[in-house]
Amino acid sequence: ISLIVQTYWVGARQKARAMTYACSSVVDIISVTLDYSHQNANALLNDLHGSLTLIGLYSLAIASRKSRFKLSRDQKKVLFEDRGLDAEYMLSLSPRQCVHVLRWAILQSIRNEKNEGCFQAMSPNDWSTVRNSLQKYCEKAFETQTALESSKLPFAYFQLVNWATHCIAFFLMATFYSDYSYHWYTSDVDVWNHHIRDTWIYWQNFAFVTAFNLVMLYFMFGCLEVYHVICSHIWDSGLVLESYEGRIGTVCEPLKDGKPKEMAELKVKQC
């Protein structure tokens, strides 16, 4: 149980969080090197905002395939079409290849604007930082896509746990009833032929231990459902899907709402 909780409940949120931080790093370097007043800036900002948010949102959509928030193919198409992209082509690619294609397109768009476009202020060091940050963003997106895959656990983990649990349950129940039968057989009181008032203590103990075993079995077999419950609940609770969708949009705001305000613009104007 501890392994499943650490791998999925904790791990999925950590991966989504790391993806958001990596996206923020890309946006930071773009927003401080971009000339917002350039004639090409608005069109480029729209493309960059759409592509960067798409990498994160599409990765979250892929990761949520095992929950009730799973997106249909038509819903995935809307993600691409809203950003003016060829949805049929993008969905024909594997999720990882799709992210790679978006990363290459972003780099090409920035490179085309470096010499005489809106990224003239970008130094070679800035260009290197953008490439490294974007690569890290895509790497974290890949990790998020597979955050809830059963392959994160050891080989045949669920099959082994299932068989082990059933074998242990059978052994415990067989041992319990065998011991009880032997105890009744060797006892001085015939629990079957004597009046229940003479044997009530035997029946009381039997009922108590049987109830305890049923509770134990309920817990043991319930453990087998931990993976499915966690994979569904982590999205149902909004800890990943809704929360990080909003964060990705917030992080990419400088690419949508124009140049971020400077400190002087945030200060209260004195009369």
Side-chain angles (χ1 to χ4, degrees):
I1 295 176
S2 176
L3 176 63
I4 295 176
V5 171
Q6 180 64 34
T7 303
Y8 295 104
W9 181 257
V10 178
R13 286 183 291 170
Q14 287 179 339
K15 290 171 182 177
R17 188 183 304 116
M19 180 182 68
T20 306
Y21 290 155
C23 178
S24 178
S25 179
V26 177
V27 173
D28 287 347
I29 190 66
I30 289 177
S31 62
V32 298
T33 56
L34 177 71
D35 181 4
Y36 282 84
S37 62
H38 194 276
Q39 60 181 0
N40 298 339
N42 288 335
L44 182 61
L45 281 172
N46 184 61
D47 292 340
L48 292 178
H49 177 269
S51 299
L52 286 172
T53 54
L54 184 58
I55 290 175
L57 297 181
Y58 185 57
S59 296
L60 287 172
I62 295 299
S64 63
R65 285 178 296 186
K66 294 184 178 295
S67 75
R68 65 185 181 89
F69 289 97
K70 176 183 178 181
L71 298 185
S72 64
R73 181 178 175 84
D74 290 339
Q75 290 174 313
K76 291 177 183 176
K77 286 179 64 176
V78 172
L79 285 176
F80 294 97
E81 291 172 349
D82 285 348
R83 292 162 175 80
L85 300 177
D86 185 350
E88 291 296 337
Y89 168 69
M90 299 303 287
L91 289 176
S92 68
L93 305 173
S94 68
R96 285 176 174 259
Q97 184 66 16
C98 179
V99 171
H100 275 308
V101 169
L102 291 172
R103 178 173 66 88
W104 296 330
I106 292 171
L107 290 175
Q108 288 297 322
S109 298
I110 295 176
R111 187 183 67 83
N112 292 339
E113 294 291 332
K114 280 184 71 224
N115 294 329
E116 298 180 358
C118 50
F119 276 112
Q120 296 182 50
M122 181 176 286
S123 66
N125 184 58
D126 294 332
W127 173 237
S128 177
T129 303
V130 167
R131 286 186 286 122
N132 291 335
S133 298
L134 189 57
Q135 185 174 15
K136 185 175 182 180
Y137 179 34
C138 293
E139 176 188 340
K140 298 304 179 182
F142 296 151
E143 293 180 1
T144 301
Q145 289 179 8
T146 59
L148 298 180
E149 294 293 333
S150 59
S151 59
K152 298 296 179 184
L153 296 173
F155 174 73
Y157 178 83
F158 291 114
Q159 291 82 351
L160 292 174
V161 169
N162 255 292
W163 278 106
T165 302
H166 285 79
C167 288
I168 291 173
F170 175 78
F171 173 78
L172 290 175
M173 296 301 293
T175 302
F176 162 69
Y177 286 112
S178 296
D179 288 345
Y180 234 94
S181 298
Y182 180 77
H183 174 66
W184 281 13
Y185 179 76
T186 58
S187 65
D188 296 332
V189 180
D190 187 349
V191 296
W192 299 107
N193 297 321
H194 279 68
H195 196 279
I196 193 170
R197 286 179 298 182
D198 300 324
T199 59
W200 71 272
I201 189 66
Y202 290 93
W203 291 107
Q204 185 181 45
N205 289 338
F206 178 80
F208 172 78
V209 178
T210 300
F212 177 81
N213 276 302
L214 290 176
V215 172
M216 178 189 66
L217 291 176
Y218 177 80
F219 175 77
M220 289 177 62
F221 290 117
C223 292
L224 302 180
E225 300 298 321
V226 169
Y227 167 72
H228 303 287
V229 171
I230 284 181
C231 289
S232 178
H233 186 64
I234 193 171
W235 303 99
D236 292 348
S237 63
L239 291 175
V240 173
L241 189 62
E242 297 175 2
S243 177
Y244 288 98
E245 273 190 346
R247 291 187 188 183
I248 290 173
T250 301
V251 165
C252 294
E253 276 185 2
L255 306 181
K256 181 180 180 182
D257 299 334
K259 184 178 180 180
K261 293 183 178 180
E262 300 177 6
M263 287 301 301
E265 296 176 294
L266 296 176
K267 292 181 179 178
V268 177
K269 297 189 182 207
Q270 302 293 335
C271 297

